Amino acid sequence: MEINDKKIDINISKAKEGSQVAFRYLLDTFWADVYNYQLKRTKSENDSEDITIQTFSKAFDKIHTFDDSYVFKTWLITISKNVHIDILRKKKVSIYSDTSKEQEEKIYLVIDENPTPEDKIIREQNLAKLLRDIKQLKPKYQEVIQLRYFQELSYKEISDQINEPINNVKVKLLRAKKLLAEIIKRD
């Protein structure tokens, strides 16, 4: 087993215990794999991103069901494929999933931990430059950054405002922060 495989296994175990840092690691590690898989299927960047967000949302919600004897990437791709099939069946472009009250209560238990490196980089920027950098993000990422950091809404309030489940909001926010940090570093 490679060192990277051990790190993945450790983070899967921590994610099963509710670690936000482990979720972030898994999202960063496997985002491109799931996104590129969907891009080949859908031929649409927006649809691929939406499906990938939904995939990680479902994966994080069901992480406790993951069997360690399987490959995590394969498990994610399978979820992604099922999300896409569900969308095709419903013949709708928008991606929404219903979450039960019990699922939403579990999501509240996942606590935001210390500021991420992305958070630190974002805070160090002057506001005018930061606003210009945010405008480089896709509108759906601009929106969650705006709602979370400028309007200081909770995940629940953002979820209600954009009419998406809380777990989708969390995944979008993680992704938006990572993309914003990359824009800031690049400039």
Side-chain angles (χ1 to χ4, degrees):
M1 183 182 290
E2 293 180 28
I3 292 174
N4 200 26
D5 290 342
K6 287 181 184 176
K7 192 170 184 179
I8 290 167
D9 290 343
I10 289 168
N11 278 285
I12 291 168
S13 295
K14 287 180 180 178
K16 285 181 177 183
E17 296 168 4
S19 167
Q20 189 71 29
V21 172
F23 285 139
R24 189 177 320 113
Y25 172 82
L26 295 170
L27 177 76
D28 291 347
T29 302
F30 294 102
W31 176 271
D33 294 317
V34 175
Y35 174 80
N36 290 330
Y37 172 79
Q38 281 303 330
L39 190 58
K40 287 178 189 167
R41 290 176 66 119
T42 65
K43 309 280 191 260
S44 162
E45 289 182 13
N46 282 335
D47 290 348
S48 298
E49 261 186 271
D50 288 343
I51 293 169
T52 303
I53 288 167
Q54 182 71 18
T55 298
F56 280 96
S57 176
K58 285 182 183 258
F60 294 164
D61 191 42
K62 302 287 185 199
I63 189 85
H64 63 280
T65 67
F66 174 69
D67 181 345
D68 296 332
S69 64
Y70 296 103
V71 177
F72 189 72
K73 178 179 161 183
T74 305
W75 185 69
L76 284 173
I77 296 294
T78 302
I79 292 171
S80 180
K81 188 178 353 175
N82 290 337
V83 167
H84 186 225
I85 289 168
D86 288 347
I87 291 166
L88 292 175
R89 281 190 189 131
K90 292 175 187 174
K91 294 186 180 182
K92 290 184 181 178
V93 176
S94 60
I95 311 294
Y96 295 105
S97 77
D98 296 322
T99 53
S100 67
K101 283 285 179 208
E102 180 184 324
Q103 289 171 324
E104 285 190 14
E105 287 168 12
K106 283 183 191 174
I107 291 166
Y108 289 128
L109 297 177
V110 178
I111 299 168
D112 282 359
E113 297 188 13
N114 296 328
T116 64
E118 291 90 355
D119 290 331
K120 290 175 185 165
I121 291 170
I122 291 167
R123 265 191 234 109
E124 292 169 359
Q125 299 303 303
N126 87 31
L127 187 58
K129 182 182 179 330
L130 182 59
L131 292 172
R132 282 194 306 272
D133 291 342
I134 290 171
K135 287 186 190 296
Q136 293 181 50
L137 294 171
K138 290 186 178 179
K140 63 184 164 196
Y141 294 135
Q142 288 179 32
E143 181 180 34
V144 292
I145 291 278
Q146 165 73 20
L147 294 172
R148 182 71 173 161
Y149 295 106
F150 293 98
Q151 294 182 27
E152 298 182 348
L153 299 183
S154 69
Y155 290 131
K156 174 74 173 117
E157 292 167 328
I158 296 170
S159 170
D160 292 343
Q161 186 153 339
I162 67 173
N163 196 27
E164 286 197 37
I166 291 175
N167 43 359
N168 281 22
V169 170
K170 286 185 172 192
V171 172
K172 275 187 181 177
L173 202 51
L174 281 172
R175 184 70 182 152
K177 289 190 313 187
K178 180 172 178 56
L179 293 172
L180 184 56
E182 288 171 4
I183 289 168
I184 292 167
K185 282 181 192 172
R186 185 179 64 223
D187 293 344

